[in-house]
Amino acid sequence: MSPCRGRRRGRRWISEVPSVRSFLPEGCPRVEAVSITLEELEAVRLVDLLDLDQEEAAFFMGISRKAFWNDLMNARKKISAALVYGMGLRIEGGSFALRGEAASGSAESQEHQKEMALMEREIELLSSRLEYLGRRMAAQKGKEMAGLSLEEG
């Protein structure tokens, strides 16, 4: 049985990557940190800071309302745990695409760009091969027509 179940997590649209990505409580010598993804932070920002409805925010991020709800609840639990138990909060990772940019620079987008470049090259090769075969076929038809006109004449 496969350890992975269900569908792969889809990419979410986010508006920006924050410049400050770590928050630590004051006066604690050893601090454990809770990790929150950039998509979860975006969900909290849209609903709690910008006062969007969940449906509007889900549309803005390009995901279903249920997926958005899951991200929002996970983020709120992590933030609450960090505040109540005096832990740090670290913002990192996730599967996202920056709004307004062609690609986020992630390994997945780089792989996609490589694949697209290979397919474009393959199309160019096939196009040149098709042109070559077309010229050859036209030349062959020209020979056939010349042969038929010699036989008729």
Side-chain angles (χ1 to χ4, degrees):
M1 188 167 187
S2 174
C4 298
R5 294 183 184 162
R7 292 176 51 183
R8 185 171 51 104
R9 181 179 169 91
R11 296 175 76 178
R12 279 103 161 104
W13 287 100
I14 66 170
S15 296
E16 62 189 42
V17 176
S19 57
V20 178
R21 297 177 71 174
S22 180
F23 298 91
L24 301 172
E26 271 186 27
C28 293
R30 182 177 155 263
V31 178
E32 295 178 29
V34 175
S35 291
I36 184 172
T37 65
L38 289 160
E39 305 92 82
E40 291 170 341
L41 179 67
E42 182 74 359
V44 170
R45 185 183 77 84
L46 292 173
V47 170
D48 295 337
L49 190 61
L50 299 181
D51 292 325
L52 293 180
D53 293 341
Q54 286 183 22
E55 193 168 341
E56 294 170 333
F59 178 76
F60 192 77
M61 289 182 70
I63 56 176
S64 70
R65 196 185 58 74
K66 175 67 175 160
F68 181 83
W69 171 256
N70 290 336
D71 285 352
L72 183 62
M73 286 299 99
N74 287 336
R76 285 178 174 170
K77 279 184 182 180
K78 291 174 183 179
I79 293 169
S80 299
L83 292 173
V84 170
Y85 299 119
M87 297 189 298
L89 190 61
R90 201 172 40 247
I91 303 164
E92 61 188 4
S95 175
F96 64 91
L98 282 174
R99 189 173 300 286
E101 287 191 6
S104 66
S106 68
E108 185 178 322
S109 66
Q110 290 173 356
E111 186 65 32
H112 178 72
Q113 288 174 351
K114 286 180 186 176
E115 190 175 332
M116 291 298 290
L118 283 173
M119 288 196 300
E120 287 172 357
R121 185 166 181 232
E122 205 171 319
I123 287 172
E124 288 174 15
L125 289 171
L126 287 171
S127 296
S128 66
R129 178 78 176 147
L130 186 61
E131 288 174 20
Y132 169 75
L133 290 174
R135 287 191 305 266
R136 214 169 139 196
M137 202 157 101
Q140 191 69 25
K141 283 184 181 179
K143 286 181 185 177
E144 285 177 11
M145 295 301 263
L148 285 176
S149 43
L150 287 176
E151 287 176 9
E152 291 176 2

